[in-house]
Amino acid sequence: MRQPLVAGNWKMNGSLDSVTSLIEGIKAGLGSVTTAEMVVCPPYVYIPGVAGLIGDAAISLGAQDVSDQESGAYTGEVAPGMLTDVGCKYAIVGHSERRSIYGESDEFTASKFAAARKAGLVPILCVGEQLEEREQGITEDVVARQLDAVINLEGVAALADAVIAYEPVWAIGTGKTATPQQAQDVHAFIRGKLAALDSSVADKVRILYGGSMNAGNAAELLAMADIDGGLIGGASLKPADFLAIGTAANS
Ligand code: PGA
């Protein structure tokens, strides 16, 4: 059985005060989450503080991005080893905002995936199509291309312990969620593609849905066979909503 994972991507939001009350709020309601692993991905600068606030509560830490390099003259970058050093377990790579705003390619994303794994982080690899691509009927081609960049570099086995997040770009931050069936179709495509290469990897890999998942729609999305959790943006900034998504994953 794959343990559900509910990860909050805080993006570039927060202050010392607000991240403190966010973590305190999540901790206070954590008892209602019985099955899912809960993860928060704060902006880099708040990670050590959030680690301290989490203490021994059952909340894992992730970063929103990571460098593809180990160390050296890379101004502004944060190395994977630095993230493990401050307590991160996960790192998101290839989020659509990195791809579209900062021009990060499939190959660059794959190199970040590799660097994260090498340092002992679990990468959360984001894939997903733009609205025009869905309308052109090439969703599967786009997702396959994004996955292939990682498979070609690292081999399919590297995905067994990783996490994939399917995030249709048109659903991110728009309030427009994929229907459970639309999401399930792509999740099943991803798992089927991996199964054709290695069925044990396909069975093991956790595939999250992301894109306007919230307290109201989480249960029906999480009920789908191939949806193993969520990558949550907006709703992860409100403790009650984030916890409700975690609770919706209770078995
Ligand atoms: P959203 O963001 O939940 O605000 O749509 C999801 C994401 O970008 O990971």
Side-chain angles (χ1 to χ4, degrees):
M1 264 314 280
R2 298 181 291 268
Q3 185 190 13
L5 191 155
V6 174
N9 173 9
W10 294 357
K11 307 194 180 182
M12 199 172 72
N13 293 295
S15 63
L16 273 180
D17 279 353
S18 75
V19 304
T20 302
S21 54
L22 183 47
I23 290 295
E24 296 303 346
I26 296 169
K27 279 172 75 171
L30 211 49
S32 63
V33 179
T34 59
T35 310
E37 178 180 1
M38 302 298 278
V39 180
V40 294
C41 302
Y44 287 136
V45 290
Y46 296 125
I47 290 174
V50 167
L53 290 164
I54 289 173
D56 58 6
I59 303 171
S60 302
L61 255 180
Q64 298 174 19
D65 192 17
V66 63
S67 176
D68 65 326
Q69 301 293 327
E70 277 179 33
S71 67
Y74 300 99
T75 301
E77 291 291 286
V78 175
M82 296 173 180
L83 296 175
T84 54
D85 203 19
V86 294
C88 285
K89 176 174 175 188
Y90 294 95
I92 299 171
V93 298
H95 189 279
S96 68
E97 287 148 18
R98 301 299 322 170
R99 293 177 188 267
S100 65
I101 304 172
Y102 300 101
E104 298 189 2
S105 66
D106 296 336
E107 289 68 32
F108 188 48
T109 298
S111 66
K112 289 184 173 197
F113 181 101
R117 279 190 76 236
K118 195 169 170 210
L121 288 164
V122 178
I124 301 176
L125 170 68
C126 298
V127 297
E129 82 287 4
Q130 310 267 353
L131 181 59
E132 311 81 75
E133 293 166 332
R134 174 160 285 265
E135 287 170 352
Q136 286 165 33
I138 57 168
T139 295
E140 293 185 356
D141 301 331
V142 170
V143 169
R145 191 198 71 216
Q146 292 167 333
L147 288 172
D148 281 338
V150 170
I151 295 169
N152 292 341
L153 185 68
E154 285 283 87
V156 69
L159 283 160
D161 299 312
V163 176
I164 296 171
Y166 169 58
E167 300 205 301
V169 179
W170 47 272
I172 295 178
T174 57
K176 213 171 164 185
T177 319
T179 65
Q181 193 58 52
Q182 278 176 323
Q184 166 60 25
D185 288 348
V186 180
H187 283 233
F189 166 75
I190 293 170
R191 207 178 300 283
K193 176 177 166 59
L194 299 179
L197 298 169
D198 186 327
S199 62
S200 67
V201 171
D203 285 343
K204 216 174 153 214
V205 68
R206 290 183 288 181
I207 309 177
L208 316 183
Y209 169 79
S212 300
M213 196 191 254
N214 58 40
N217 61 26
E220 55 177 6
L221 286 159
L222 294 170
M224 305 308 282
D226 290 296
I227 301 185
D228 304 314
L231 182 55
I232 322 298
S236 73
L237 298 171
K238 297 174 212 137
D241 292 24
F242 188 56
L243 288 162
I245 298 168
T247 308
N250 287 352
S251 57

